[in-house]
Amino acid sequence: MIFRTATRADLPAVLALLADEDRVVDPASVVVGEAHERAFAAIGADARNEMLVLTDDADGVVLGCLQLTYIPGLGRNGQDRALVEAVRIRADRRGGGLGAELMELAVERARKRGCGLVQLTSDKRRTAAHRFYERLGFARSHEGFKLRLER
C-alpha cells in the first residue's frame, strides 16, 4: 500500500469514496463540480490541510482517503491538534485492516508535526465506525455540535 498526498487525478476516486460508503462507486461516474475543484485546490494550497489517499501499489487504485487539518491552539500548552475528516475505505476492501493502517499513518503524520491531540467526529448513526475508532484508542470524550449554514 502507498500512503500519499492526493493529486488532482485522484479527485474523482476520492469523491466516489465519499459518495456512498456502502457500495463501490465507479470514479468515472462521478461529476467533479466547480465547488469540488475549488475545495481541492484550497486544501492543496493550505499548509495546514492535507487530503491523503491510500492506494494499491500494484495498480494505483485509490482504496481509502482522509483529510487532515492541523489546528493551532492555545490549549494543551500551545500544541497543534489534528482534525481527521472524510475517512473512507472502499466498501469492497473493508475488514482487512486498511482502515486501521490509514488511521495509524495519519496519527503518525500528526505526531511528526508536533500535534498533541488527534480528534474526529463521526455521525451518531455510524456505530460500526465508532467501534472501529475505539479499537484504535480514540475515546468518546466530548459531545459534538454542528450548525448547518444553508446557502
Side-chain angles (χ1 to χ4, degrees), residues 13-31:
V14 169
L15 294 176
L17 289 172
L18 297 175
D20 190 335
E21 65 183 77
D22 295 325
R23 66 183 180 87
V24 176
V25 175
D26 180 3
S29 71
V30 173
V31 175

Side-chain angles (χ1 to χ4, degrees), residues 137-149:
F138 286 81
R140 296 181 195 216
S141 62
H142 293 70
E143 283 289 325
F145 297 90
K146 295 187 181 202
L147 175 65
R148 290 185 75 77
L149 303 176

Side-chain angles (χ1 to χ4, degrees), residues 108-126:
E108 186 55 32
R109 200 170 184 100
R111 185 177 283 118
K112 284 182 179 173
R113 277 192 66 136
C115 293
L117 180 75
V118 176
Q119 64 188 30
L120 57 84
T121 61
S122 180
D123 190 300
K124 288 187 176 197
R125 297 169 291 192
R126 297 183 69 220

Side-chain angles (χ1 to χ4, degrees), residues 3-8 10 40 44 49-53 109:
F3 182 62
R4 62 174 172 76
T5 302
T7 66
R8 170 54 187 84
D10 298 318
F40 188 80
N49 273 287
E50 298 181 291
M51 189 72 216
L52 303 166
V53 293
R109 200 170 184 100

Side-chain angles (χ1 to χ4, degrees), residues 62-74:
V62 175
L63 302 176
C65 68
L66 61 76
Q67 181 178 346
L68 272 176
T69 301
Y70 303 102
I71 305 168
L74 297 175

Side-chain angles (χ1 to χ4, degrees), residues 72-93:
L74 297 175
R76 304 185 75 76
N77 290 322
Q79 288 183 317
D80 282 2
R81 64 186 60 214
L83 174 65
V84 182
E85 290 281 334
V87 179
R88 295 291 189 280
I89 295 293
R90 242 174 69 148
D92 63 344
R93 296 298 297 267

